């Protein structure tokens, strides 16, 4: 299919005497014509970024859409805007199928005073664009079928329903359907699934409250659904392409850290910043799988990893199931918020600092010197706070099982 697109883009480039690029309606690059000019202005920042990163920024997309390209049925000329990084004007050929825009072909316009392509050449190029529209529509339909089958696998109940859903997905994927795959959860996800994700075999939005095993690791806060992405990978040891694809789906602010992102707040403080944490988009990646029947379990891992990324920003905006440590167990056990009577009083907003002190102390394996240094307090202050923790909880922090109970309760509170 990619070769077909490239041939058609080259045909338009030849008709109009200028290198063309083809993007889908989400402004993701599909194909581009070779550029052999020495004119530096021809490769302005917008065109260069589109080719190198295979996508345009939201600001660039909004700027171009302001010229009505999504509604146009014929060529649209867009003037240069050096302040926006557009050093040369553009000609946009909307790619449509049955009245619905499927993508755009872009060409650099001629310099002012230089004759550009005439009406006959533009008409011929639009005919080629229509052929591209047919291919994009067929590909979108195939993708929609795959997404529907993928969603069915993730939401079907155990037993024959899941077996039937897996069989249907295997048929839809065709050869290599049981090859290695990775499952990704991006949450919360607003609106519909993107038209395409580089390297993805299927993409769907899993609604909150969906039946079956939609959220075996517990639902994430915020939003109406979570984006599920099925990525083909070369081997179970090669997750780098999956992580790169996921990172492109997250807003740039997703990696923010510091107090505002919850980096230095304890579990009790989570309630005070719940509004912010609930809407911070994160992603989780499950362990790679070889069989499609393993996808629901991998989806549960991906959801749990995304939950852990909310609870612990140090995991980064993209967290791997294999790297979240004790949260692997906690996410499985704590699908619902934990309300242990021993920790109930400690986890109220009034005792936020005591909860943080206890968590840091336990994270430091009970080493008072390390904990005091991490908290920036005197060791005697630490001992006083820990005594208050024992009074509130009724636990003895010299006892291993009491420490384990409190540590699990504090970490589970983060997930909740």
């Amino acid at each position: 299919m990619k070769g077909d697109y490239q041939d058609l883009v080259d045909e338009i480039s030849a008709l109009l005497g200028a290198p063309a690029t083809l993007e889908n309606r989400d402004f993701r690059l599909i194909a581009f014509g070779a550029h052999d000019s020495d004119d530096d202005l021809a490769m302005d920042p917008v065109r260069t970024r589109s080719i190198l990163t295979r996508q345009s920024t939201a600001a660039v997309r909004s700027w171009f859409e302001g010229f009505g390209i999504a509604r146009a049925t014929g060529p649209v000329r867009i003037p240069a805007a050096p302040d926006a990084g557009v050093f040369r004007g553009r000609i946009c050929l909307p790619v449509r199928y049955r009245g619905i825009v499927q993508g755009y072909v872009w060409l650099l316009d001629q310099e002012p005073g230089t004759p550009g392509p005439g009406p006959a050449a533009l008409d011929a190029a639009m005919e080629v664009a229509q052929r591209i529209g047919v291919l994009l529509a067929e590909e979108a339909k195939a993708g929609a079928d795959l997404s529907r089958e993928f969603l069915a696998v993730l939401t079907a109940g155990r037993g024959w329903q899941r077996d039937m859903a897996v069989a249907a997905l295997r048929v839809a994927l065709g050869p290599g359907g049981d090859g290695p795959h990775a499952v990704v959860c991006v949450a919360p996800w607003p609106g519909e699934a993107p038209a395409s994700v580089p390297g993805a075999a299927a993409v769907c939005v899993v609604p909150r409250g969906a039946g079956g095993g939609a959220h075996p690791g517990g639902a994430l806060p915020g939003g109406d659904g979570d984006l599920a992405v099925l990525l083909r990978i070369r081997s179970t040891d090669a997750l780098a392409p999956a992580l790169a694809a996921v990172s492109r789906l997250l807003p740039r602010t997703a990696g923010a850290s510091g107090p505002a992102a919850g980096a230095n707040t304890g579990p009790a403080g989570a309630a005070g910043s719940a509004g912010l944490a609930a809407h911070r988009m994160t992603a989780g990646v499950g362990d790679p799988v070889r069989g499609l029947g393993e996808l629901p379990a991998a989806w549960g891992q991906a959801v749990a990893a995304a939950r852990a990324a909310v609870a612990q920003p140090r995991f980064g905006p993209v967290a791997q199931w294999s790297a979240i440590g004790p949260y692997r167990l906690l996410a499985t056990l704590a699908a619902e918020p934990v309300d242990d009577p021993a920790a109930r009083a400690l986890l109220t907003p009034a005792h936020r600092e005591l909860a943080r002190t206890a968590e840091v102390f336990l994270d430091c394996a009970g080493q008072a010197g390390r904990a005091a240094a991490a908290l920036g307090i005197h060791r005697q202050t630490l001992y006083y706070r820990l005594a208050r923790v024992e009074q509130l909880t009724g636990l003895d922090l010299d006892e291993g099982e009491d420490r384990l109970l409190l540590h699990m309760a504090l970490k589970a509170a983060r997930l909740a």
Side-chain angles (χ1 to χ4, degrees):
M1 186 71 77
K2 180 173 174 55
D4 295 336
Y5 289 132
Q6 188 64 59
D7 291 342
L8 293 170
V9 167
D10 290 343
E11 186 175 342
I12 291 177
S13 296
L15 283 169
L16 301 183
T21 59
L22 170 63
E23 295 178 332
N24 67 12
R25 58 187 171 204
D26 289 332
F27 283 61
R28 292 191 182 276
L29 185 68
I30 298 174
F32 63 93
H35 181 79
D36 55 6
S37 170
D38 294 329
D39 183 2
D40 291 338
L41 293 180
M43 287 299 291
D44 60 30
V46 170
R47 178 178 167 84
T48 300
R49 187 186 190 284
S50 174
I51 292 175
L52 292 179
T53 67
R54 309 198 73 80
Q55 63 181 345
S56 296
T57 65
V60 168
R61 172 177 178 168
S62 177
W63 191 80
F64 280 128
E65 287 180 335
F67 290 91
I69 59 174
R71 302 182 301 275
T73 58
V76 178
R77 276 194 158 89
I78 299 174
D83 291 343
V86 182
F87 296 159
R88 286 274 293 274
R90 302 288 203 274
I91 299 176
C92 175
L93 308 181
V95 177
R96 311 184 81 87
Y97 177 73
R98 293 184 176 177
I100 299 175
V101 67
Q102 305 291 331
Y104 306 99
V105 173
W106 299 93
L107 301 104
L108 296 174
D109 206 353
Q110 298 295 323
E111 291 285 357
T114 304
L122 288 172
D123 287 345
M126 283 299 299
E127 290 180 5
V128 180
Q130 289 177 2
R131 285 150 53 195
I132 295 175
V134 173
L135 291 180
L136 284 174
E138 290 176 348
E139 187 173 338
K141 182 180 183 303
D145 292 342
L146 270 172
S147 296
R148 184 180 64 250
E149 306 298 356
F150 181 40
L151 177 62
V153 169
L154 298 185
T155 57
R158 295 179 182 274
W160 65 269
Q161 290 179 321
R162 180 174 295 174
D163 292 342
M164 289 184 63
V166 168
L169 178 61
R170 183 176 291 110
V171 171
L173 285 171
D178 273 323
H181 289 87
V183 180
V184 173
C185 171
V186 182
W189 186 262
E192 299 179 353
S196 65
V197 174
V203 184
C204 67
V205 173
V206 180
R208 297 295 168 85
H215 287 96
L220 284 121
D224 296 324
D226 305 327
L227 185 71
V229 184
L230 180 63
L231 292 161
R232 297 183 190 270
I233 55 178
R234 291 188 300 275
S235 73
T236 54
D237 297 325
L239 266 179
L243 298 176
V246 175
S247 64
R248 297 190 191 103
L249 295 170
L250 299 178
R252 291 183 181 273
T253 56
S257 60
N264 296 313
T265 59
S273 59
L276 173 65
H279 294 89
R280 189 171 72 89
M281 186 180 290
T282 60
V285 184
D287 283 343
V289 299
R290 288 194 174 275
L292 298 180
E294 302 173 63
L295 292 181
W299 170 244
Q301 292 177 352
V303 171
R307 292 179 68 205
V310 174
Q312 282 286 11
R314 65 184 173 84
F315 290 136
V318 181
Q320 293 180 246
W321 163 259
S322 59
I324 61 175
Y327 287 96
R328 293 197 297 267
L329 180 61
L330 288 170
T332 302
L333 297 177
E336 299 296 332
V338 173
D339 181 26
D340 188 86
R344 189 176 298 153
L346 183 64
L347 291 173
T348 60
H351 300 300
R352 180 179 305 170
E353 194 60 34
L354 287 179
R356 177 169 174 262
T357 298
E359 185 177 13
V360 172
F361 174 71
L362 295 169
D363 285 345
C364 292
Q367 297 179 28
R370 283 180 57 202
L375 290 164
I377 60 177
H378 193 276
R379 189 179 296 203
Q380 286 303 121
T381 302
L382 173 67
Y383 291 144
Y384 169 76
R385 291 183 183 178
L386 293 177
R388 289 280 293 123
V389 168
E390 290 183 327
Q391 290 174 0
L392 283 169
T393 62
L395 300 175
D396 183 352
L397 295 184
D398 287 331
E399 294 294 329
E401 289 194 356
D402 282 6
R403 285 191 184 188
L404 176 62
L405 172 60
L406 183 58
H407 210 178
M408 290 179 66
L410 293 169
K411 296 302 185 186
R414 283 189 173 275
L415 286 178

